[in-house]
Amino acid sequence: MKRKDFIKSCGVIGTAAVIAPFGVSAVAQGSIRDKRIRVAVIGCGSVSGVYLPHLTKSPYVEVVSVCDIKPERAKARAEQFNVPNQYPHIDLMLAGADFDLMVNLTDMQEHGRLNRLALLKGKNIWSEKPLANSYSEGLDLLQLAKKQGVRIWGAPAVVNSPQFAFMAGQINEKKLGTVAAAHAHYGHLGPTWSAFFYENLGGSMPDLGVYNLSTLTGLLGPVKSVTAMLNILTHQRMVDDKGKITVEAEDNASILLEHHSGAISHVMCGFNYFDPYGHQGTGQDKPTVSLVGTRGAMHLIGYDWMPFAVEMATIDHEEPQRFSTDPGSYVWQEGASVICESLVTGMEPLINAEHSLHVLEIIEAARRSQNEGARIQLESVFPYPVIK
Ligand SMILES: NC(=O)c1ccc[n+]([C@@H]2O[C@H](COP(=O)([O-])OP(=O)(O)OC[C@H]3O[C@@H](n4cnc5c(N)ncnc54)[C@H](O)[C@@H]3O)[C@@H](O)[C@H]2O)c1
């Protein structure tokens, strides 16, 4: 089944129906074709130290500006990566050196507000997750982007891995038969550097569960209802920027997803997970995503943001085999660079804003399910299958 056919067959009024599609080529055929994309990075904290080495090596990227409300951080990154302009505020950056794409690496709670300001100035956006703080804010941003003739995309980039491609291909070819169930998990002991991870609208779902939610929805298609249990296990934490804080957002989540396909999947994530592989996932060789169907079972080895292989057993080959052991060029921090490549070449990326919004709606529904003790129906869908 092709992605467009799925949306038609879904019969659901969702983001894909609300937002008329407009291709990358519409942007790329404009003034920025055949050029490097001029990138402005906002947020010069931890993850910028992983993004910038990748971005500055891309043949499709010219990093023109960095910005942080902690100006010493912008200064340090500008010096480290030879970036000509640095700013202490988004307003100054938007009024300063011209650019095509803003890469938003700030606190999660700031994403929606800053993305809106940049869209209003006609900038394309790559946003770390989440791309907005609520589903309705995300819808507004997509509509604003369309009105402004630009695009917005959000992390994560898990659908770009060769292992995801292998799994999506096998499912689409019905190698597992009818997929009945799936499970995914991701957790560690929680970031120690910034309080926002634990403040209202933070939590383990938008920071960690978002990877698994993107993977399972990417593999099994949109979700029609969500039931979840969330709680806070560690009520106080020490963080570098604010010292001792009271945790406001969930740090322990179990989310049940009913997909339109009939599959039922489960994601568990949290900031209280002993993880022998650490924050970098070094040496992780166990499955974190598993799917089972009427004709086979499949496991993703490693984390979905840094997978190593896929193990599969089917009715035709009952002995489990390892596939897709070549990492290729995929790295989790490639999202913004891939978007720049797509803006230059006109090639539509697999990463898709409607998919990000669907995951955002799931996260919001999980919070409501916990608060109301109810099963929550969703309205959004996205282009499926997620296959090139
Ligand atoms: N750190 C990681 O390993 C990692 C990995 C993947 C994704 N992420 C995501 O990246 C984002 C940033 O995470 P981080 O770990 O780098 O956090 P961080 O606290 O290290 O960095 C955030 C930076 O944004 C700046 N900032 C906040 N509000 C701002 C504003 N209004 N204008 C300009 N600058 C502002 C802060 O001063 C800080 O320097 C989050 O969405 C997080 O979920 C982080």
Side-chain angles (χ1 to χ4, degrees):
M1 188 184 247
K2 296 270 187 291
R3 302 168 91 186
K4 276 182 196 139
D5 299 338
F6 177 84
I7 291 176
K8 270 192 216 145
S9 75
C10 252
V12 176
I13 305 291
T15 53
V18 173
I19 310 296
F22 58 107
V24 170
S25 53
V27 177
Q29 276 162 14
S31 61
I32 54 182
R33 181 160 220 157
D34 302 328
K35 287 190 198 160
R36 284 176 182 250
I37 301 302
R38 294 165 301 174
V39 168
V41 173
I42 186 162
C44 295
S46 164
V47 84
S48 73
V50 191
Y51 264 71
L52 279 162
H54 195 261
L55 273 170
T56 48
K57 283 192 198 85
S58 165
Y60 301 102
V61 175
E62 180 190 359
V63 182
V64 293
S65 298
V66 285
C67 173
D68 200 298
I69 45 171
K70 295 180 176 166
E72 68 283 2
R73 291 192 174 182
K75 181 172 184 287
R77 291 299 188 218
E79 284 169 6
Q80 195 180 353
F81 295 99
N82 278 324
V83 182
N85 305 289
Q86 43 174 294
Y87 302 98
H89 196 281
I90 187 167
D91 290 347
L92 296 172
M93 183 174 84
L94 290 171
D98 201 9
F99 64 92
D100 309 300
L101 176 87
M102 183 173 89
V103 174
N104 190 343
L105 309 180
T106 62
D107 304 11
M108 293 192 273
Q109 292 83 349
E110 284 289 79
H111 293 177
R113 186 178 75 83
L114 298 174
N115 291 341
R116 176 182 303 281
L117 290 173
L119 288 173
L120 286 168
K121 293 283 181 191
K123 308 301 182 189
N124 296 283
I125 307 280
W126 169 263
S127 179
E128 254 306 329
K129 37 40 176 202
L131 62 76
N133 285 119
S134 67
Y135 170 62
S136 65
E137 183 184 38
L139 270 180
D140 285 350
L141 292 184
L142 261 185
Q143 274 160 343
L144 176 60
K146 190 184 166 209
K147 188 167 152 245
Q148 297 287 82
V150 292
R151 299 284 299 267
I152 178 168
W153 293 272
V158 286
V159 298
N160 286 353
S161 81
Q163 290 75 20
F164 178 92
F166 177 82
M167 293 172 90
Q170 299 300 305
I171 291 167
N172 200 43
E173 288 169 27
K174 297 275 178 214
K175 292 282 171 55
L176 303 187
T178 301
V179 179
H183 163 81
H185 63 271
Y186 179 31
H188 51 61
L189 290 175
T192 52
W193 51 95
S194 286
F196 74 81
F197 292 102
Y198 307 105
E199 291 171 347
N200 189 29
L201 297 178
S204 75
M205 288 190 298
D207 190 46
L208 305 184
V210 64
Y211 294 94
N212 289 165
L213 291 169
S214 302
T215 297
L216 288 182
T217 51
L219 291 174
L220 298 177
V223 165
K224 59 179 179 183
S225 73
V226 170
T227 311
M229 285 193 193
L230 320 174
N231 62 18
I232 298 172
L233 273 186
T234 303
H235 292 274
Q236 297 205 308
R237 292 197 180 240
M238 288 295 290
V239 285
D240 298 340
D241 62 340
K242 291 193 180 168
K244 192 171 180 181
I245 54 159
T246 298
V247 174
E248 297 167 346
E250 52 72 28
D251 64 1
N252 192 29
S254 258
I255 312 154
L256 263 182
L257 311 169
E258 181 198 14
H259 296 261
H260 285 279
S261 69
I264 297 173
S265 70
H266 173 246
V267 168
M268 60 185 233
C269 59
F271 290 141
N272 299 282
Y273 287 15
F274 166 71
D275 177 6
Y277 313 103
H279 194 65
Q280 301 306 321
T282 311
Q284 164 65 296
D285 192 43
K286 300 282 191 295
T288 64
V289 179
S290 296
L291 301 99
V292 63
T294 50
R295 297 181 61 85
M298 197 158 63
H299 305 276
L300 181 73
I301 307 298
Y303 293 117
D304 50 4
W305 50 273
M306 195 170 66
F308 301 117
V310 179
E311 208 164 82
M312 187 166 78
T314 63
I315 210 158
D316 304 320
H317 195 295
E318 290 183 352
E319 187 67 24
Q321 287 177 286
R322 279 207 172 189
F323 298 93
S324 195
T325 51
D326 182 352
S329 63
Y330 166 81
V331 285
W332 64 265
Q333 64 270 32
E334 72 178 28
S337 318
V338 166
I339 291 307
C340 288
E341 179 177 355
S342 79
L343 285 169
V344 172
T345 62
M347 206 169 61
E348 184 68 27
L350 268 182
I351 299 169
N352 171 279
E354 283 90 4
H355 189 187
S356 303
L357 273 193
H358 186 66
V359 169
L360 191 53
E361 196 189 8
I362 293 173
I363 291 171
E364 214 169 64
R367 291 181 184 134
R368 265 187 65 201
S369 175
Q370 166 62 30
N371 291 341
E372 298 171 16
R375 180 165 170 168
I376 308 298
Q377 305 296 321
L378 303 193
E379 68 167 40
S380 63
V381 292
F382 62 89
Y384 177 81
V386 183
I387 288 177
K388 274 200 175 142

